[in-house]
Amino acid sequence: MKSSVMKFLDNESGATAIEYGLIGALISVIIITAVKLVGSNLSETFNKIAQNLS
């Protein structure tokens, strides 16, 4: 029983999965933020072009 508990406490595979999950979430937030910024900048640019063409 004691060896089973020690094995469970020494197992770090769950911690590694959580770390990868956090890294993935951080990368996702960065990508979403970048896309939103680029999208709004593009929208403004196209609106300016449309106004100048009119």
Side-chain angles (χ1 to χ4, degrees):
M1 179 77 177
K2 186 178 180 180
S3 66
S4 299
V5 172
M6 293 306 290
K7 251 190 214 182
F8 176 74
L9 292 175
D10 287 339
N11 188 356
E12 294 184 4
S13 62
T16 303
I18 290 171
E19 289 170 355
Y20 282 129
L22 290 173
I23 291 170
L26 180 63
I27 290 171
S28 298
V29 168
I30 291 170
I31 290 172
I32 290 169
T33 303
V35 167
K36 282 186 176 183
L37 289 174
V38 169
S40 59
N41 287 342
L42 279 177
S43 177
E44 290 175 17
T45 301
F46 284 130
N47 285 335
K48 286 179 185 177
I49 292 171
Q51 287 173 356
N52 288 335
L53 291 176
S54 299

